[in-house]
Amino acid sequence: MEKTDPRISKIKALIAFRTFFVTVLLGSFALFEIGNGAFPYPKAVFNLIEALYGLTIIYALLLRRVKPKPFAYFQIVLDVIAALALIYFTGGIESWFSFLLILIVIASGTVIDKRAAFVAASLSSILYGAMLDLQYWRMIPIPYGLVLYEKDFLYNIFSNIVALYVCAYLTGQLSSSLERTSLTLEKRLTDFRKLSVFNREVVENMPSGLMTTDADGRILSLNRAGETITGLDRAVESDIRIQSIFPFIKDLNKPFERGEGEMAAGPVKKTIGLTISAMKTPQGDPFGYICIFSDLTEIKKMQQEMQLRQKWAAIGELSANIAHEIRNPLASLRGAVEMLHRGGTSPQQQESLMQMVLSEADRLNRIITDFLMYSRPAENEPEPVELDILLKGTLEMLGKSAPAGIRINSDIEPLRVTADPGRLQQVFYNLVLNAFEAMSAKGAGGGVLAVSGKKENGVVKINFADTGQGIDAKDAEKVFFPFFTTKDTGTGLGLSIAMRIMESHGGNIRFKSEPGQGTEFIVTLPVNGKAPGHV
Ligand code: ADP
Ligand code: MG
């Protein structure tokens, strides 16, 4: 849309005002004054008015063709001249129309600016003053009453000039402050428009769906991404409730901060993640809801594929490890049997070969048993257990067979829990054996295993702190993996089984280790056999 120059509309107002005034003048003349002899030149007045009408038409035609400002000045000057002519024809000092000059000054101030008002005031003062002087000296043919003296003329000129300048000053002042206000207002309006366009663009172009609803959940607005995700057409659909689009929203009154669920977008099902927040009045009553959502279908699918891939990778690794673990004892078995079969061995050799067969078979059996325990653990058989007694018993039994140079310190509170005692014992057994192995591997020294047990906030905490070789940072992630071992004869199943058992009790195992200094394993177990917070 083409914007009209504000100056042009002001000039239009000037023309309209002049037309109105001239019309009123003409009307009043026609009604009262013509032919009644009140003015010296009634015919001339009439002609003047006609001329002004003519000018108005010319002005209107010129309006868009000439520069507004000089055009306005031109009109003002002509107006002053016309007003003076009217004053002249209606009796000079005795004319009633000197106020017209003031109107012109006011008009210049409002239509153009302060300067134009002063220009109009000066021009009017000079011409008006000159005219009255000439009249006083009777140098122009306007008669005046005999009652008028020189001081009347001076006084009239003086008061008119003062009035003209005062008016010029006041309208100038008024119009410049008006100008300023309207400029700031204009700027504010533009800023506001820019801001609202910006906001709309942000909402439209954001990649997430944005929906607003009223307090009942009826949809009020939906952005473009929202349309794409839900398949709704915001121009067509109306009066739809948010629950009919996202059926997994149960109760709007207690909106979840975050949620996930399925929706039917036409024939396809989509997984949607959303957050809802209530818009509230200052009193705290919800008057609507804002819902931001996105389509998680692709991400979900990718996640599932990823999980599946990870699962297969883990299974592959596990199978490779099992095969490896079984192949070694099988090789020695085969070797021994072959030698026996070939014959020519002494009875002692035969005896030791037989021993080897037996021990390798045992080892195979142990690996399989351990692995089965890891992969398909039997159900727990929980019962009330005096855990402190169970732990002390295990330590005592193992302490007897401890390698030389190893000492056990224990500090254990009475601990009553509901758990499967046989399986917990197995956990302790694995941890203590690992500690023994870590401390004897360090060299001659041996070391101290400090075991403590206490209860904190309904959780039993048992620590096994050894002074062994510690766990390398690079191995830290792997020690709980099945078949991870750093030992020549290890199976790498001890910790993985222990972790399985603790998790099945709702507990956990963590460790802290300082390579070369020692390791502390921390076993936690909820007293009632379930982790706090688990349902
Ligand atoms: P294994 O004892 O048969 O090696 P585990 O699962 O019991 O299998 O332990 C896995 C690995 O964790 C060990 O080989 C060892 O490297 C490390 N580890 C476990 N406990 C300790 C410990 N107390 N100190 C140092 N390293 C340990
Ligand atoms: Mg072990």
Side-chain angles (χ1 to χ4, degrees):
M1 199 181 71
E2 197 199 331
K3 212 174 146 213
T4 21
D5 188 334
R7 288 176 304 182
I8 288 189
S9 40
K10 276 184 179 175
I11 293 178
K12 268 189 196 162
L14 188 69
I15 295 174
F17 180 69
R18 185 184 302 112
T19 313
F20 168 78
F21 189 80
V22 169
T23 307
V24 168
L25 210 61
L26 179 69
S28 57
F29 267 52
L31 275 178
F32 307 116
E33 300 297 350
I34 302 274
N36 134 357
F39 304 133
Y41 302 104
K43 179 83 177 100
V45 171
F46 217 71
N47 289 343
L48 182 68
I49 291 171
E50 275 170 3
L52 283 177
Y53 267 121
L55 265 183
T56 304
I57 295 170
I58 295 170
Y59 287 161
L61 290 177
L62 282 180
L63 189 58
R64 285 188 183 278
R65 272 168 232 182
V66 289
K67 282 194 188 152
K69 195 159 174 175
F71 186 44
Y73 265 105
F74 174 74
Q75 287 184 41
I76 300 283
V77 171
L78 271 194
D79 280 345
V80 171
I81 291 170
L84 282 166
L86 187 64
I87 293 169
Y88 182 94
F89 295 136
T90 53
I93 188 167
E94 285 179 311
S95 169
W96 305 338
F97 293 107
S98 59
F99 73 92
L100 278 185
L101 295 173
I102 287 178
L103 283 188
I104 293 167
V105 167
I106 292 175
S108 331
T110 14
V111 174
I112 313 173
D113 55 16
K114 200 194 256 180
R115 228 176 85 201
F118 278 103
V119 168
S122 306
L123 186 68
S124 304
S125 300
I126 293 167
L127 294 181
Y128 185 72
M131 186 168 80
L132 257 60
D133 271 347
L134 293 176
Q135 188 183 15
Y136 176 72
W137 296 113
R138 298 188 189 279
M139 293 171 82
I140 43 173
I142 324 173
Y144 60 88
L146 291 174
V147 282
L148 292 172
Y149 295 103
E150 186 177 9
K151 75 168 175 17
D152 295 313
F153 278 84
L154 285 180
Y155 186 70
N156 188 306
I157 293 172
F158 174 74
S159 60
N160 268 299
I161 289 177
V162 169
L164 285 170
Y165 277 100
V166 167
C167 271
Y169 175 76
L170 288 181
T171 31
Q173 211 63 3
L174 213 67
S175 77
S176 59
S177 80
L178 212 72
E179 189 91 348
R180 269 200 304 278
T181 331
S182 74
L183 272 182
T184 20
L185 210 71
E186 182 96 354
K187 172 140 175 34
R188 290 257 169 81
L189 219 75
T190 336
D191 286 352
F192 179 72
R193 264 191 225 119
K194 273 190 200 149
L195 192 70
S196 75
V197 166
F198 176 73
N199 282 345
R200 208 172 47 231
E201 288 304 311
V202 169
V203 167
E204 273 303 285
N205 292 306
M206 63 194 262
S208 304
L210 179 80
M211 188 184 273
T212 54
T213 75
D214 64 11
D216 296 330
R218 261 188 295 273
I219 295 171
L220 298 176
S221 75
L222 185 65
N223 70 349
R224 202 183 303 146
E227 274 190 317
T228 319
I229 295 171
T230 57
L232 290 179
D233 184 347
R234 57 187 160 181
V236 178
E237 323 269 351
S238 62
D239 210 32
I240 298 183
R241 276 165 188 275
I242 188 169
Q243 291 96 326
S244 61
I245 294 171
F246 302 134
F248 51 95
I249 298 176
K250 292 280 176 306
D251 183 5
L252 257 187
N253 281 328
K254 56 170 197 215
F256 32 74
E257 291 279 270
R258 281 170 179 286
E260 220 179 274
E262 292 214 320
M263 70 165 288
V268 284
K269 271 201 161 28
K270 285 184 176 176
T271 311
I272 301 292
L274 55 73
T275 54
I276 296 184
S277 40
M279 300 187 274
K280 289 183 177 159
T281 58
Q283 286 77 38
D285 312 314
F287 63 88
Y289 297 92
I290 306 175
C291 174
I292 298 179
F293 55 96
S294 46
D295 186 353
L296 303 180
T297 318
E298 280 302 306
I299 296 173
K300 278 273 135 144
K301 218 159 78 193
M302 262 156 56
Q303 262 175 3
Q304 275 166 3
E305 276 169 19
M306 186 85 118
Q307 272 167 5
L308 213 65
R309 226 174 286 152
Q310 277 171 349
K311 198 164 126 189
W312 284 115
I315 289 174
E317 195 181 341
L318 209 63
S319 319
N321 283 331
I322 300 169
H324 180 76
E325 286 296 317
I326 291 175
R327 187 170 272 165
N328 287 344
L330 268 185
S332 3
L333 265 178
R334 194 194 151 90
V337 172
E338 224 169 44
M339 281 174 83
L340 284 174
H341 179 67
R342 234 188 270 138
T345 42
S346 69
Q348 281 141 316
Q349 276 175 323
Q350 280 183 12
E351 175 59 26
S352 80
L353 282 172
M354 291 298 235
Q355 277 304 324
M356 190 170 161
V357 168
L358 286 178
S359 78
E360 289 300 303
D362 280 351
R363 182 167 152 75
L364 265 180
N365 193 32
R366 209 175 60 235
I367 291 173
I368 301 290
T369 317
D370 281 358
F371 182 67
L372 280 180
M373 195 173 323
Y374 170 77
S375 61
R376 212 150 25 91
E379 280 287 304
N380 284 333
E381 287 171 15
E383 56 185 83
V385 183
E386 316 253 6
L387 198 60
D388 49 318
I389 295 174
L390 182 78
L391 181 54
K392 280 177 191 158
T394 313
L395 291 178
E396 201 171 313
M397 181 185 79
L398 287 170
K400 284 186 190 136
S401 57
I406 287 179
R407 217 156 30 84
I408 301 180
N409 284 345
S410 64
D411 170 17
I412 300 160
E413 290 175 8
L415 304 165
R416 291 194 116 260
V417 295
T418 308
D420 185 327
R423 311 194 79 201
L424 286 189
Q425 192 172 32
Q426 196 178 358
V427 173
F428 302 152
Y429 186 89
N430 285 343
L431 293 178
V432 173
L433 275 193
N434 277 349
F436 284 178
E437 285 161 1
M439 290 191 287
S440 21
K442 205 182 167 190
V448 180
L449 172 64
V451 181
S452 68
K454 56 180 185 255
K455 197 157 67 178
E456 274 176 7
N457 308 325
V459 178
V460 168
K461 227 171 154 184
I462 302 167
N463 287 21
F464 296 85
D466 64 52
T467 57
Q469 62 185 358
I471 297 173
D472 259 12
K474 69 172 168 41
D475 295 336
E477 272 189 9
K478 295 183 249 168
V479 294
F480 290 108
F481 288 179
F483 298 111
F484 174 80
T485 180
T486 54
K487 300 164 197 167
D488 293 340
T489 56
T491 58
L493 285 169
L495 282 181
S496 42
I497 291 171
M499 181 63 112
R500 260 286 161 100
I501 293 172
M502 290 322 298
E503 279 181 343
S504 74
H505 280 88
N508 200 358
I509 307 180
R510 283 171 294 126
F511 71 89
K512 291 184 258 189
S513 183
E514 196 66 41
Q517 307 272 327
T519 309
E520 181 178 6
F521 274 87
I522 303 132
V523 177
T524 51
L525 175 71
V527 170
N528 61 0
K530 295 279 182 222
H534 275 231
V535 196

